[in-house]
Amino acid sequence: MVEKFLTVAGDPATLSLTLVVLVAGTVRGFAGFGAGLVFVPFAGSLIGPRAAVIVLWAIDSLPTLPILIPALRVCNYRSVLPAAGGVALCAPFGAYLLATADPLVLRWGMSGVVLALVVLLGSGLRFTGPRRPASAFGVGMLSGLLGGATQLSGPPVVVYWMSGHEAAAEIRANLIVFFALSTVITGLSFWANGIFSEAALMRAAIAAPVYFVALILGQKMFGFASEKVFRRVALGLIVAAAIMASPAFDGVLR
C-alpha cells in the first residue's frame, strides 16, 4: 500500500493535479462556487474523467461537515428533501454513464456541460415558478443526473433557490444540507457502478490538504475586491478551464 501511494505521489500527473486543485479551491473560496467547474475538465484531461470525478467527490465533501449540523436546524426540508429525492432517482443513471461511456466522449461532454452551466450562472436566469415539492424534485433530478455523470450537481439548485425570496440563511442551509445528502447518494451510486479506484482515492488524499488551504486563501482574497468582480474573474477562469482542458487542446497541455 505504501509503495502504491509513493508511486501515485511521484506521478507527474499528481503534481499537475495539485496545481489544478489549488486554483479550483481558491475559486470556490472567493466565489462560493466553481470548484468542480474548474477541476473536472482539467483533471479529466490529466487522469481521466472517472478518476477526476472521484477525486473531486472526496475532497469537496469534507469542508461541509463542520457547518452541516447547524444548517440542519435552519433548512427548509419541504424543499430540500424532494430535491434530494430527485438526486436519488437520477444519480444512478448519471453514474452509469460515467462508468460505461467512452472517456473521450465524457471529456467532450464535461467541457460542454461546464460551458453551458457557466452561461446559466452568468445569465441572471431566475426560476419564477411556485416553490412546490414537485418543482424541487424536478430540479433535483437534473442535479442528480449531472452529479452522477460529472459531479457538477450545483448550478441547477443554486439557480432554483437563489432566485426565490427566502432569507439568505435559509438558502445557505438548504444548499449545505442538499449537497451533504447528494454527496452520500452519488457516492453510493459510484460504489454500485464500481467507479471508485485506489489510485483516485490516493490522489484525493494528497490533494485534500491543498484544497483546504486554497479555500482559506480564496476566502481571504475575497476581502480585497467586490463580490461582483470576483465572480467575473471566477467565471472567466472556469470558461478558460473548460476550453483549454477539452480534448482539442491535448497537444498543448501534454
Side-chain angles (χ1 to χ4, degrees):
M1 178 68 72
V2 174
E3 184 177 350
K4 289 182 180 179
F5 184 83
L6 293 175
T7 300
V8 171
D11 185 350
T14 300
L15 176 59
S16 300
L17 191 71
T18 302
L19 297 176
V20 176
V21 167
L22 181 62
V23 176
T26 303
V27 169
R28 172 75 180 272
F30 69 64
F33 68 94
L37 298 176
V38 170
F39 181 82
V40 167
F42 256 121
S45 73
L46 293 169
I47 60 175
R50 297 185 184 96
V53 166
I54 293 305
V55 171
L56 178 64
W57 176 87
I59 66 174
D60 200 40
S61 58
L62 294 178
T64 68
L65 294 178
I67 58 176
L68 175 60
I69 293 177
L72 292 172
R73 298 192 295 267
V74 181
C75 79
N76 180 358
Y77 288 100
R78 189 171 180 271
S79 188
V80 171
L81 291 182
V87 172
L89 179 64
C90 289
F93 294 102
Y96 177 77
L97 290 176
L98 180 64
T100 59
D102 180 84
L104 184 63
V105 174
L106 274 174
R107 285 183 56 206
W108 277 113
M110 285 176 174
S111 292
V113 166
V114 167
L115 289 173
L117 294 178
V118 168
V119 172
L120 176 65
L121 288 168
S123 67
L125 180 67
R126 295 292 180 264
F127 181 91
T128 57
R131 294 297 194 278
R132 297 195 178 101
S135 62
F137 184 80
V139 172
M141 289 175 62
L142 178 58
S143 290
L145 186 63
L146 290 174
T150 66
Q151 196 59 16
L152 300 174
S153 62
V157 291
V158 170
V159 170
Y160 179 69
W161 280 316
M162 290 293 288
S163 61
H165 302 289
E166 295 85 353
E170 180 180 317
I171 294 172
R172 178 177 179 271
N174 286 352
L175 291 171
I176 291 171
V177 175
F178 172 81
F179 287 132
L181 293 172
S182 64
T183 294
V184 175
I185 293 167
T186 54
L188 291 173
S189 298
F190 294 157
W191 176 78
N193 284 276
I195 297 172
F196 284 111
S197 70
E198 190 176 76
L201 293 175
M202 287 180 178
R203 284 195 167 97
I206 295 169
V210 178
Y211 187 74
F212 294 145
V213 171
L215 285 173
I216 296 171
L217 176 63
Q219 188 175 21
K220 290 185 178 297
M221 289 174 61
F222 184 75
F224 292 101
S226 69
E227 180 179 354
K228 185 176 181 179
V229 169
F230 272 114
R231 286 183 180 273
R232 285 178 177 174
V233 172
L235 288 174
L237 288 172
I238 292 165
V239 170
I243 294 174
M244 291 298 296
S246 72
F249 283 81
D250 278 356
V252 176
L253 293 174
R254 297 182 180 181

